[in-house]
Amino acid sequence: MKRRDFLTKSAAASGVLFASLEVLAQQPASGNVVIERANSGKPHAGKVLAAIQPHSDDIPLFAAGTVAKLIKEGYTGHLIRVTNDDMGDALELGTRGTVGQHVLGNERDNQAVAKALGLQRVFDLNYSNHKMSGVSQMELQCRLIFLFRLLKVDTVICYDPWARYEENPDHYVTAHCVEAACWMAGREHDYPEQLAAGLELHAVKEKYYFSRDLTTIATNRIVDIKDTLDQKIASNIANVAKGPAGHRGSRLKAELAARNLQLPLLGNDDQTADREYIREFVLRRDREIGQRYGLEYAEEFHYIGPSSSYLDEYVKKNAVPLKK
Ligand SMILES: [Zn+2]
C-alpha cells in the first residue's frame, strides 16, 4: 500500500497555525482524487466526528461505510438528525401509515442506525420533513454551532451544499447550514453567550460531502469501505420504516414464494434475504464507484481538509528562539 504524509493543523490561541504530521493510508489516484484506504491502529484517536443527516436513511445510504471506518480508526462519533421524518413511510406496517407513525418509526430506526455504526450520542433536531426551505437558517446554524462547540467536532459528514439538481430542500438547507456553522463555531463574536455559558470556540476543520447524484459534485475523495461493509448493511437494515432497504429483501422473498418463485440470492431465511438484497441492490452504487478505482466497494465525496497556510509554513521553517 502506497502511503503519503498528510498535514493536519491545530489552531493556537494566538491565531497562528502550527502543523503536525500524521501518516494516513491515502493514495493519490487519477487527477486530484485521493483513495482513502483502511488504516491500521487508531490514527484518529482523540478526534470527534458528527454524522449529520436530514432523514434517518441518508447516512446509511451514502456514507455509512466511511462513518464506520472513521469510528473504527479512533474517532468518537455522534449522529445529528435534522428532521423528524414525519413525511416518511411506515413500510413495516404494510401501509403508508400516519404522520405520527412515521415520526415514531423513524425515531426508533435512527437510534438503531447510530448503534450499528458505533455512534455515541443522537441529537434529533425535530424540524418538519420536506419543510426545511421554510425554517430559519439562522436558528439551525445557531443550533449546529452550539453542538459543534459542545461536542468539539473536528469532522463532519453531510450532503454537499453545492451539489446540483438536488430536489429535496431538507438536503440542501441542512448542507448549507452545516457548512456555515463549521467556520462560525470558531468565531468569538458569533453567539458569545454560548462562550459565557462555558463552551469554547471550536471550528470544524474537515468535511466529507456526499451527493445523491455523483455527476454533480467535485469528487476528490474515494473511501474504500470493504472492511466496514457489514456495518453499512446493518445500518440500512435498521431503516425499516422508510427507504429502499430495511426488510425489503424478506418481503420480496415472501412475495415471490406466494407466486411459487424464489431468488437463490435471497437465501433461506429473512435475515439472509434482507442482508443480501441490500448488498446486491442498495450497494450497487458503491460497487460501481469501487470498480472505477479498482476497489470492491467504495463511497465518493468532495472532501475539504485543513488548509495549509503560507504563514504557518513560514513560521515553522524560520522561527528561532528569542534572544534575551
Ligand atoms: Zn433524505
Side-chain angles (χ1 to χ4, degrees), residues 51-53 59 77-81 110 113-114 119 121-123:
I52 304 170
Q53 57 179 358
I59 290 287
H78 307 290
L79 182 60
I80 300 172
R81 182 178 58 134
N110 196 59
V113 167
L119 298 164
R121 298 179 70 178
V122 175
F123 295 89

Side-chain angles (χ1 to χ4, degrees), residues 53-59 61-62 83 85 129-130 159 166 168 170-171 210 212 242:
Q53 57 179 358
H55 315 115
S56 62
D57 61 348
D58 298 311
I59 290 287
L61 289 172
F62 302 120
T83 78
D85 282 299
N129 198 177
H130 296 178
Y159 275 104
E166 170 54 64
N168 192 321
D170 300 347
H171 295 174
F210 58 84
R212 289 201 286 189
K242 76 183 298 186

Side-chain angles (χ1 to χ4, degrees), residues 22 40 45-46 65 71 73 82 86 91 105 123 128 130 145 168 180 204 234 237-238 255 257 260 311:
E22 278 185 349
S40 57
I71 299 295
E73 295 173 359
V82 181
D86 60 357
L91 294 175
F123 295 89
S128 265
H130 296 178
I145 289 167
N168 192 321
V204 177
I237 289 175
E255 286 165 18
N260 245 353
L311 172 62

Side-chain angles (χ1 to χ4, degrees), residues 28-208:
S30 59
N32 64 347
V33 175
V34 167
I35 295 178
E36 181 177 328
R37 297 176 184 274
N39 288 285
S40 57
K42 305 280 184 191
H44 300 300
K47 292 172 75 178
V48 176
L49 171 73
I52 304 170
Q53 57 179 358
H55 315 115
S56 62
D57 61 348
D58 298 311
I59 290 287
L61 289 172
F62 302 120
T66 301
V67 169
K69 173 188 181 291
L70 295 178
I71 299 295
K72 194 175 175 185
E73 295 173 359
Y75 268 96
T76 297
H78 307 290
L79 182 60
I80 300 172
R81 182 178 58 134
V82 181
T83 78
N84 61 8
D85 282 299
D86 60 357
M87 296 294 163
D89 302 303
L91 294 175
E92 82 274 28
L93 300 173
T95 68
R96 299 304 293 173
T98 67
V99 167
Q101 286 168 325
H102 299 164
V103 172
L104 187 58
N106 285 287
E107 183 180 14
R108 173 204 60 208
D109 293 354
N110 196 59
Q111 292 283 344
V113 167
K115 195 170 172 199
L117 298 179
L119 298 164
Q120 288 188 359
R121 298 179 70 178
V122 175
F123 295 89
D124 288 320
L125 303 189
N126 202 33
Y127 291 97
S128 265
N129 198 177
H130 296 178
K131 296 181 178 171
M132 289 205 59
S133 49
V135 307
S136 163
Q137 293 198 27
M138 288 280 290
E139 179 190 275
L140 178 54
Q141 284 166 202
C142 181
R143 295 180 75 182
L144 290 167
I145 289 167
F146 182 94
L147 287 170
F148 293 165
R149 288 172 172 171
L150 174 73
L151 302 170
K152 301 189 185 308
V153 173
D154 299 297
T155 303
V156 293
I157 296 187
C158 188
Y159 275 104
D160 189 328
W162 303 105
R164 289 168 289 148
Y165 310 114
E166 170 54 64
E167 63 184 9
N168 192 321
D170 300 347
H171 295 174
Y172 57 75
V173 171
T174 296
H176 279 287
C177 290
V178 167
E179 182 169 64
C182 282
W183 62 274
M184 286 185 200
R187 305 275 297 187
E188 63 184 321
H189 293 304
D190 284 294
Y191 308 105
E193 64 277 12
Q194 295 180 3
L195 308 177
L199 299 182
E200 295 176 359
L201 298 178
H202 196 90
V204 177
K205 296 285 175 47
E206 289 184 86
K207 300 148 194 164
Y208 290 77

